[in-house]
Amino acid sequence: CLFFNASDINIFNGNLLAYDNFRLQFENTTIDIDLGEAVFAGSAISSVLFDSVFFEITDGNANFTDSTSTSFTQSELRVIEGGAKFTDFTQTDWVESTIIMEDFEDNPFFETKGSAVSSFTDSRLFVIGGGASFIE
């Protein structure tokens, strides 16, 4: 279990990766990834909690997969020149949060598929220059 509170995480030309049986919690934190990806690929007991977090990826993707449980509360996920995927039995809860996908060259995406479940409560989804898909 890793807990980040009032932290700044900056990654340039690299990735933020979490695999198998993890528990991550980010509170009052800024995560900034340039030229890289965030991959959360877990198992049935894996979870990621974002509470009051600004999470930005530029020229990369956010991937949540393999039964990972994810919660965004009063947070913002912004992906510029990339997209976000929630696949393969993931459970994602968005509460008072904002999702922004922005890319005018490669078409950004917000995608849920493979028995992924998303719930949105008082949240906003903006996809600029691309699309959103909810499959299966």
Side-chain angles (χ1 to χ4, degrees), residues 5-100:
N5 188 9
S7 301
D8 286 323
I9 300 168
N10 295 292
I11 298 171
F12 180 76
N13 200 19
N15 302 311
L16 173 61
L17 308 171
Y19 289 99
D20 297 328
N21 304 328
F22 57 83
R23 290 184 50 79
L24 300 172
Q25 186 168 345
F26 301 94
E27 288 186 10
N28 302 310
T29 294
T30 299
I31 304 168
D32 186 10
I33 300 174
D34 288 321
L35 299 171
E37 293 191 332
V39 178
F40 301 96
S43 65
I45 62 169
S46 297
S47 66
V48 185
L49 304 173
F50 298 96
D51 189 354
S52 301
V53 170
F54 179 76
F55 187 1
E56 181 173 277
I57 299 175
T58 303
D59 201 11
N61 300 307
N63 297 303
F64 298 82
T65 188
D66 297 335
S67 303
T68 300
S69 175
T70 306
S71 175
F72 288 86
T73 303
Q74 295 180 337
S75 296
E76 181 174 316
L77 172 62
R78 180 183 295 253
V79 182
I80 301 168
E81 297 182 22
K85 287 186 180 183
F86 299 84
T87 60
D88 301 326
F89 303 100
T90 57
Q91 167 71 44
T92 308
D93 298 312
W94 302 90
V95 179
E96 298 178 11
S97 293
T98 302
I99 308 104
I100 300 173

